[in-house]
Amino acid sequence: MKKISLTISCYLFLLSLSFGQALEVIMDDYTAVPSESFCLKFKVNNFEEIVSSQYSLQWDPTVMSFDSLTANNLPIPANLFYNTSFISMGQLLVNWFDTFGNGNSVPDGTTIYELCFTAIGPAGASTTIAFTDLPLQIEVTSEASNGAHIGLDFSGGTVTIVDPLIISNVILNQPDCMNPDVGSIELEVEGGTEPYLFEWTGPSGYTASTEDILGLNAGEYFLTITDASNPALSLIDTFLISAGLDVPSVTIELPALLTCADTLVTLDASGSSTNPNYELFWLTSTGNIVLNGNTLNPVVNAVGNYELIISNPDNGCSASASVSVEEDVAVPIAIAGMDGLID
């Protein structure tokens, strides 16, 4: 009995060798985001003198839903058929054949068709497409096998759902007058599959590969984030480091002279920056401000140097200018002539 069994096993082994190698089907793994529509390529090796193939495909129907099956470089594409009777259970029956029983060949690595789905599961869900014997038995025949199954090997086909790649928070530090070198962009990234790759470009040939970038000059900075998914998810964004600081300007007109008749002079700084948020201060060590000291038009009554400082409290920038108030109080001299008698 053992001799008969051994003889049959050797016969089947030799028969399989005469048929050539088993058909090999390779599917790439895929990372999808929720609600994404995508297609998986079915690539083959050892598709040599193949006459027919049939099998059942199985996946988790709570993770993805079937959309379509499209022939791509498959010989006699009109003879590719599929049955969706069991699609609610995540099963697709696939059948292809040569009408005249002739063998067909394609080069190794050829994509014979694409299977398309929509991701319906939540982030973190995954499923693998499997070739099964139920409900349609796996069978691949070649011209040499004369109707006998030559074998089917398959690999890959795992689909994983992840959250979309997003920048969840940005801290954009603009330079200011107090800290001119603090320009920086700090990020928080979520979703996709870690680790993330960061590619920054900016003005004057600037490049960086870190998540956060510091000590930035003014200009636009362009960022591409790529994750470790297959295929990789990517995100592109642009950030602006302000080119100009909001620095106030101060202008004071040359004032009139103080005289015996005009003992008050109004200073005119109305050409200076005006902004509700600006703060202004008049300073004098020898003069005297008698009215409107916190405006652009103070009234003074003494000679001296008057300095106006305007500050922007939002960024610490300030500017100043000064003007001197002079006087003309020379007393006229009256000459009545020589004394005399009036007759």
Side-chain angles (χ1 to χ4, degrees), residues 122-336:
S126 66
T127 184
T128 298
I129 298 177
F131 287 76
T132 69
D133 280 314
L134 294 175
L136 182 62
Q137 185 176 8
I138 297 175
E139 182 181 90
V140 180
T141 67
S142 68
E143 193 168 353
S145 72
N146 196 26
H149 178 45
I150 65 171
L152 175 65
D153 297 330
F154 51 89
S155 61
T158 297
V159 175
T160 303
I161 301 178
V162 298
D163 284 319
L165 191 61
I166 62 170
I167 298 175
S168 58
N169 189 39
V170 178
I171 300 177
L172 197 63
N173 293 313
Q174 301 287 2
D176 57 40
C177 289
M178 301 298 293
N179 302 284
D181 299 323
V182 299
S184 65
I185 305 171
E186 301 175 36
L187 307 176
E188 292 182 12
V189 180
E190 297 179 358
T193 304
E194 296 188 50
Y196 306 127
L197 297 178
F198 299 88
E199 296 181 31
W200 289 95
T201 59
S204 303
Y206 178 88
T207 61
S209 58
T210 57
E211 182 174 5
D212 302 330
I213 52 177
L214 311 173
L216 304 180
N217 295 322
E220 279 191 305
Y221 290 82
F222 304 92
L223 171 64
T224 299
I225 304 174
T226 306
D227 79 341
S229 300
N230 182 24
L233 301 177
S234 63
L235 176 64
I236 299 175
D237 211 335
T238 303
F239 305 88
L240 178 64
I241 295 298
S242 178
L245 298 172
D246 188 6
V247 180
S249 64
V250 179
T251 302
I252 307 174
E253 299 294 332
L254 185 65
L257 296 174
L258 288 170
T259 66
C260 294
D262 298 318
T263 58
L264 298 176
V265 170
T266 299
L267 302 182
D268 183 7
S270 59
S272 303
S273 299
T274 57
N275 187 305
N277 293 329
Y278 286 174
E279 299 173 349
L280 61 88
F281 307 91
W282 284 96
L283 302 176
T284 182
S285 59
T286 57
N288 185 49
I289 300 174
V290 296
L291 190 65
N292 299 333
N294 60 346
T295 72
L296 295 174
N297 302 105
V299 178
V300 304
N301 66 351
V303 298
N305 190 65
Y306 294 84
E307 181 182 12
L308 173 61
I309 302 173
I310 300 180
S311 300
N312 181 351
D314 295 333
N315 60 15
C317 296
S318 63
S320 65
S322 61
V323 68
S324 293
V325 174
E326 305 292 342
E327 64 180 357
D328 181 6
V329 291
V331 178
I333 300 174
I335 300 177

Side-chain angles (χ1 to χ4, degrees), residues 18-39:
S18 66
F19 298 159
Q21 295 178 302
L23 176 64
E24 181 182 5
V25 178
I26 305 169
M27 292 175 287
D28 291 332
D29 295 333
Y30 194 91
T31 302
V33 298
S35 301
E36 178 186 355
S37 295
F38 60 93
C39 297

Side-chain angles (χ1 to χ4, degrees), residues 16-171:
S16 67
L17 289 180
S18 66
F19 298 159
Q21 295 178 302
L23 176 64
E24 181 182 5
V25 178
I26 305 169
M27 292 175 287
D28 291 332
D29 295 333
Y30 194 91
T31 302
V33 298
S35 301
E36 178 186 355
S37 295
F38 60 93
C39 297
L40 299 178
K41 294 182 178 181
F42 276 55
K43 299 178 182 180
V44 292
N45 292 330
N46 307 324
F47 198 104
E48 299 175 359
E49 301 299 325
I50 301 299
V51 175
S52 68
S53 64
Q54 67 174 40
Y55 38 78
S56 302
L57 297 176
Q58 175 76 57
W59 63 87
D60 185 344
T62 67
V63 176
M64 58 188 187
S65 61
F66 172 75
D67 291 333
S68 64
L69 176 64
T70 305
N72 187 352
N73 300 314
L74 177 69
I76 320 175
N79 283 5
L80 175 65
F81 300 95
Y82 61 89
N83 188 323
T84 59
S85 299
F86 304 94
I87 207 69
S88 63
M89 297 183 291
Q91 292 180 326
L92 183 70
L93 283 57
V94 182
N95 179 32
W96 172 86
F97 59 91
D98 183 287
T99 305
F100 302 102
N102 297 324
N104 298 265
S105 302
V106 297
D108 285 353
T110 297
T111 298
I112 58 172
Y113 58 80
E114 292 186 352
L115 189 60
C116 299
F117 298 90
T118 296
I120 61 174
S126 66
T127 184
T128 298
I129 298 177
F131 287 76
T132 69
D133 280 314
L134 294 175
L136 182 62
Q137 185 176 8
I138 297 175
E139 182 181 90
V140 180
T141 67
S142 68
E143 193 168 353
S145 72
N146 196 26
H149 178 45
I150 65 171
L152 175 65
D153 297 330
F154 51 89
S155 61
T158 297
V159 175
T160 303
I161 301 178
V162 298
D163 284 319
L165 191 61
I166 62 170
I167 298 175
S168 58
N169 189 39
V170 178
I171 300 177

